[in-house]
Amino acid sequence: MDAKDILGLPKNSVTQEKKSRPQKDSQRKPDGISREVYALTGGLAPLIPAIEASQLKKRPPSDEKITWQWLPFTNSARKDNLHLYHWVRIVNGVPPTGDYSFAKYNKMWTKEETDQLFELCQSFDLRFIVIADRFPSSRTVEELKDRYYSVARAMLIARAPSPGDISGHPLVKEPYNVSQETERKRALSMVLSQTKQQERKDAEVLAEAKRITESRMVARGAEESELPVPSNAGPESAERAAAIPADTVSPSSNVQQHPSAAVAPSTITVDNASILASLRMLRVYLRTYALDQMVQAASSSAGLRTIKRVEQTLQELGVNLKPRVPTKAVCAEHLELRREILTLLNLQKQLQYKEAEGSSYRDGSYADTPGTPKHLSHGGDQDRTFVPDMSFAGERMGKRDQKRKAPGRLSEAPLPAHKRPRKSKAADL
Amino acid sequence: MSLTTSSRKQGENQPDDGASPAKPPRIKIGKSSEDSDKKGAHRRVKDVEICVPIVYGTIAFYLGRKASESQSHKWTVYVRGATNEDLGVVIKRVVFQLHPSFNNPTRVLESPPFELSECGWGEFEIGISLFFHNDICDKQLDLFHHLKLYPEDESGPQTTKKPVVVESYNEIVYPDPSENFLARVQNHPAVIVPRMPAGFNLPYPVSIESVNEREKGDTKDHPLSQWFMNFSEADELLKLAAARQQVQAHIVKLRRQLSVMDGPPPLSKQPTGYDYT
């Protein structure tokens, strides 16, 4: 408006008229169809009308006389000459010609179709995916392949001077098997589209199978008092494993004292997958029971101290040690959290050891390595200021070099290596 | 409203219907349904886990003026569906094991709502054993609950108006149900059944005998329902997610620190392409 003022243009120009016109039009847009039906389309006509509005009102052309007759018909797709009757739409007394309309859906191959197929095969070099795409009537890749290979095979056999000549030909030796191919492709696509859950389940079963075969090997080895050969858990063992998981527990427990050190640890450390497998053997269980089992399995490789630290961390994070609402999702999250805390604690330990190494250098003869230790202590400070909430981490860094008076929460903070050699226990990881 | 309890001496407990003849299915479609019923009892559905969320616990009221030394509180112990739906669809019987000082300490409930009220003065551990229908499993599930009569907050006199409520949430999981069981409970509100794999056909559901005898077994309009606690997984999930985030962030930081400590990559004098000499 102001612009017009500035330019000195007349105020009531064309644009205003345009604005009022579309307003009125939309109110009486529908023409040929009722307003409600029009509203279903969104109240706005498509740019290119699919169906002319005028078409909807009057369909049958006035010059054609339509009658319906009850006539017999045959189906070229049938082999038994069955004669049936149906109503046929007659236009001006002329009945329609052509085969039964549904016959074209029959899977028979006509010479015409076969010729088309061979032409396409020639031009596309037997690339069946492309051929299937360009084939006029819809046929699956497997059908096309089947037709091509069976025709080619028949021709080969017919043209051969003697059957022995071509018996070595791959077309003759291994004819194309449609059902097998379809099945194979279906199985492949199933494997491809397997959900993570199914993958996990398969992994569980295989892990369980491995565990069972290994424990069986141990048992057998102990009986014959010779070193067990590492088992190759093949796919067949998976089926056996599914059948007998329960009785493997007893042989492995009897065998603990035998010196098969290489194999024993694998039976002792319980796999998460095998826990899941054993849970499924039960007819019924409580969700909390399942969670407890899995928590135990996850902490089986950790010492009691570490487990306590995990629980401390959980408390600091404001998480219940045992979930208050143990649904499937909550239990899964809880388990993952525990695992992540374990990872965190391991990393902290690694960091401490590294620092211990660094500080042992510092306290030794190497006075001129300012870079590393400075960085370490700086890192410690950084840690404290950045994460005030995670007090367990910060305090640990701070107390690193202090003399320990009483065993506190951080009683297990390791001192630099040269001050006191730390006994490392296999269990205390 | 009085809460009825049915108690029986343990000796009177009838053995389970293991050897009884096949119950006539309520809905019959020709002879083939019986065959498929028998097969369906044995055919198990893999990878489909049926889950029944339950809440069990106690509600205890101080009797106030009506209290005597030996009976100071009136309490109810129960097992209910987490959403107050009827648990009778899976649970056949619940046995509450009370303190031996009670008369007939083994109380058996044969139909929902699975609850029991008593008067007493002492706190003790109540054993709760769940027995499932024949087409589900023979194994029982045992729970334990500590009966709490006295409130945490010991300040002031006890009130008769507000009870002491302790409830626990849990889920009964059937990892590999029989086809019959699955067909029967598929659409029941008390039961959580995951989506079935495509093209899966279950036998026609055969209802169990007790259905027609039972009246309302759900606890939606239970007189004590105003005291029932709410168990929402949302809060816990949120808290867990937040905790995980924190831990993950810390892990990233530590990993970075560790990798830096392992030493920066060695300085190289190799021409990098910007060397014009």
Side-chain angles (χ1 to χ4, degrees):
Chain A
M1 284 299 133
D2 297 332
K4 290 225 181 85
D5 257 340
I6 295 168
L7 290 174
L9 286 174
K11 288 212 176 134
N12 285 351
S13 61
V14 195
T15 47
Q16 283 201 353
E17 288 168 31
K18 277 201 190 143
K19 266 197 207 152
S20 53
R21 248 197 294 130
Q23 271 280 333
K24 274 212 288 180
D25 256 352
S26 65
Q27 279 171 11
R28 25 182 312 272
K29 210 42 165 211
D31 193 25
I33 53 173
S34 72
R35 195 156 36 98
E36 283 78 14
V37 175
Y38 186 72
L40 285 175
T41 64
L44 205 65
L47 289 173
I48 304 165
I51 303 170
E52 285 289 312
S54 48
Q55 256 189 21
L56 294 165
K57 260 289 167 88
K58 39 194 178 124
R59 254 310 180 63
S62 39
D63 58 338
E64 290 177 3
K65 254 178 62 173
I66 308 292
T67 52
W68 288 84
Q69 277 187 30
W70 182 251
L71 296 175
F73 70 97
T74 53
N75 186 352
S76 63
R78 292 189 75 98
K79 303 205 200 299
D80 57 358
N81 258 326
L82 177 68
H83 294 276
L84 293 173
Y85 292 78
H86 65 183
W87 286 106
V88 179
R89 187 175 185 265
I90 309 282
V91 182
N92 288 343
V94 180
T97 52
D99 195 10
Y100 179 55
S101 61
F102 296 108
K104 66 176 186 278
Y105 296 114
N106 192 33
K107 291 206 182 242
M108 292 239 317
W109 279 91
T110 62
K111 171 124 187 17
E112 197 189 322
E113 263 194 300
T114 314
D115 287 342
Q116 281 177 332
L117 170 63
F118 271 74
E119 221 172 292
L120 286 173
C121 286
Q122 162 79 0
S123 54
F124 287 113
D125 216 22
L126 288 190
R127 294 193 161 92
F128 283 102
I129 309 281
V130 181
I131 294 168
D133 196 41
R134 281 167 169 66
F135 202 71
S137 43
S138 67
R139 295 259 185 188
T140 67
V141 175
E142 287 79 28
E143 281 176 3
L144 295 174
K145 277 190 181 176
D146 183 38
R147 182 62 180 163
Y148 173 78
Y149 289 125
S150 49
V151 168
R153 186 170 188 267
M155 292 206 307
L156 198 60
I157 293 173
R159 290 177 182 170
S162 78
D165 282 348
I166 43 131
S167 60
H169 195 281
L171 258 181
V172 177
K173 259 202 310 186
E174 286 140 26
Y176 185 75
N177 188 338
V178 191
S179 48
Q180 193 183 43
E181 281 296 294
T182 331
E183 188 53 35
R184 180 182 68 88
K185 288 186 184 173
R186 193 186 68 87
L188 271 176
S189 72
M190 265 181 57
V191 172
L192 183 64
S193 56
Q194 238 189 9
T195 63
K196 263 205 183 105
Q197 199 195 23
Q198 283 169 315
E199 260 182 69
R200 254 190 287 142
K201 289 206 168 107
D202 288 345
E204 285 163 35
V205 175
L206 286 172
E208 176 74 7
K210 194 159 172 248
R211 196 175 70 82
I212 290 167
T213 46
E214 275 172 2
S215 66
R216 275 217 212 112
M217 283 298 168
V218 168
R220 218 171 294 149
E223 287 170 10
E224 302 165 16
S225 62
E226 54 176 288
L227 273 173
V229 179
S231 67
N232 46 341
E236 7 81 55
S237 58
E239 289 139 42
R240 278 186 288 152
I244 340 156
D247 47 325
T248 59
V249 181
S250 32
S252 65
S253 53
N254 290 343
V255 154
Q256 292 296 339
Q257 60 265 39
H258 282 270
S260 43
V263 191
S266 60
T267 53
I268 294 172
T269 52
V270 188
D271 198 16
N272 187 51
S274 59
I275 290 280
L276 283 164
S278 64
L279 277 173
R280 268 185 297 151
M281 289 299 154
L282 301 170
R283 278 292 160 88
V284 62
Y285 58 85
L286 282 171
R287 187 75 71 192
T288 49
Y289 169 77
L291 180 61
D292 286 342
Q293 293 286 304
M294 305 226 266
V295 166
Q296 261 186 40
S299 353
S300 60
S301 55
L304 194 57
R305 271 195 225 161
T306 319
I307 298 173
K308 284 245 163 1
R309 280 162 67 187
V310 170
E311 294 183 350
Q312 253 166 35
T313 315
L314 281 170
Q315 281 173 335
E316 284 165 11
L317 289 164
V319 170
N320 297 321
L321 285 180
K322 296 202 174 216
R324 185 176 166 262
V325 189
T327 63
K328 189 170 183 158
V330 167
C331 289
E333 285 289 301
H334 186 96
L335 197 62
E336 281 311 305
L337 178 60
R338 276 187 185 249
R339 290 197 182 122
E340 282 165 3
I341 293 176
L342 269 171
T343 309
L344 179 64
L345 295 176
N346 281 336
L347 282 174
Q348 279 180 344
K349 208 169 281 193
Q350 277 184 46
L351 202 56
Q352 282 166 5
Y353 286 153
K354 286 252 162 94
E355 289 190 349
E357 284 172 13
S359 66
S360 72
Y361 281 141
R362 192 159 33 110
D363 293 352
S365 53
Y366 296 91
D368 55 334
T369 51
T372 324
K374 250 196 204 158
H375 179 87
L376 283 179
S377 50
H378 184 59
D381 289 337
Q382 224 177 12
D383 208 15
R384 240 179 300 162
T385 50
F386 272 28
V387 194
D389 295 331
M390 304 286 258
S391 53
F392 59 90
E395 277 177 274
R396 197 170 301 289
M397 296 301 174
K399 281 196 183 171
R400 184 164 43 89
D401 290 327
Q402 282 173 25
K403 250 195 194 154
R404 296 179 297 136
K405 290 235 160 122
R409 269 189 334 153
L410 306 163
S411 56
E412 57 269 33
L415 296 175
H418 74 280
K419 277 194 181 163
R420 187 213 288 186
R422 189 151 192 274
K423 256 192 287 182
S424 57
K425 294 179 268 184
D428 189 22
L429 258 175
Chain B
M1 170 183 152
S2 65
L3 297 157
T4 54
T5 66
S6 67
S7 71
R8 273 200 231 161
K9 280 215 162 66
Q10 193 157 22
E12 289 171 9
N13 224 351
Q14 290 303 320
D16 211 4
D17 290 321
S20 68
K23 300 175 222 195
R26 289 242 333 136
I27 306 151
K28 205 166 180 172
I29 304 182
K31 200 171 160 198
S32 58
S33 73
E34 277 195 29
D35 291 339
S36 72
D37 176 26
K38 288 199 190 105
K39 270 188 258 160
H42 298 296
R43 265 205 300 260
R44 307 206 75 91
V45 184
K46 288 204 148 138
D47 296 343
V48 174
E49 187 182 270
I50 290 184
C51 163
V52 180
I54 59 168
V55 173
Y56 60 95
T58 51
I59 296 181
F61 284 92
Y62 177 56
L63 289 173
R65 282 182 308 136
K66 303 190 188 142
S68 67
E69 257 207 61
S70 59
Q71 310 223 312
S72 57
H73 289 75
K74 178 171 186 200
W75 49 267
T76 309
V77 61
Y78 54 87
V79 182
R80 62 178 176 90
T83 46
N84 290 316
E85 297 290 349
D86 184 3
L87 286 180
V89 63
V90 291
I91 299 183
K92 174 167 72 171
R93 175 193 324 134
V94 176
V95 177
F96 293 101
Q97 187 66 38
L98 307 179
H99 193 267
S101 59
F102 280 90
N103 225 356
N104 300 334
T106 309
R107 306 281 172 95
V108 182
L109 274 299
E110 298 278 2
S111 66
F114 299 107
E115 62 182 79
L116 151 65
S117 295
E118 263 294 348
C119 292
W121 57 269
E123 299 183 340
F124 59 92
E125 191 175 68
I126 304 176
I128 306 173
S129 299
L130 310 176
F131 294 83
F132 307 104
H133 289 294
N134 297 348
D135 63 345
I136 302 178
C137 86
D138 306 328
K139 234 177 53 155
Q140 71 194 64
L141 215 52
D142 296 320
L143 307 164
F144 297 94
H145 180 83
H146 180 81
L147 168 66
K148 196 158 169 3
L149 302 177
Y150 304 97
E152 282 294 334
D153 176 24
E154 290 172 25
S155 63
Q158 290 181 72
T159 164
T160 55
K161 302 263 167 48
K162 204 158 172 271
V164 174
V165 182
V166 182
E167 282 189 328
S168 305
Y169 176 98
N170 214 321
E171 296 186 339
I172 309 175
V173 182
Y174 305 95
D176 122 278
S178 71
E179 279 187 357
N180 279 355
F181 174 34
L182 187 53
R184 187 162 64 75
V185 304
Q186 216 178 358
N187 293 311
H188 196 280
V191 180
I192 299 177
V193 176
R195 235 173 352 137
M196 228 69 79
F200 193 79
N201 292 314
L202 287 172
Y204 201 87
V206 173
S207 60
I208 39 177
E209 239 176 34
S210 52
V211 174
N212 42 344
E213 300 161 7
R214 223 179 332 120
E215 302 149 8
K216 201 166 89 112
D218 66 59
T219 46
K220 290 192 189 146
D221 300 319
H222 197 276
L224 291 173
S225 59
Q226 61 175 305
W227 306 114
F228 289 166
M229 290 161 76
N230 252 327
F231 291 92
S232 138
E233 65 170 350
D235 297 330
E236 201 134 27
L237 275 176
L238 259 162
K239 201 168 264 171
L240 284 168
R244 280 188 71 186
Q245 250 191 356
Q246 261 197 308
V247 173
Q248 282 163 11
H250 213 62
I251 287 178
V252 165
K253 204 201 309 273
L254 286 185
R255 285 217 166 108
R256 222 179 284 141
Q257 282 183 342
L258 272 171
S259 67
V260 172
M261 275 171 76
D262 281 340
L267 294 167
S268 62
K269 290 281 180 186
Q270 290 167 10
T272 56
Y274 295 105
D275 215 336
Y276 291 106
T277 55

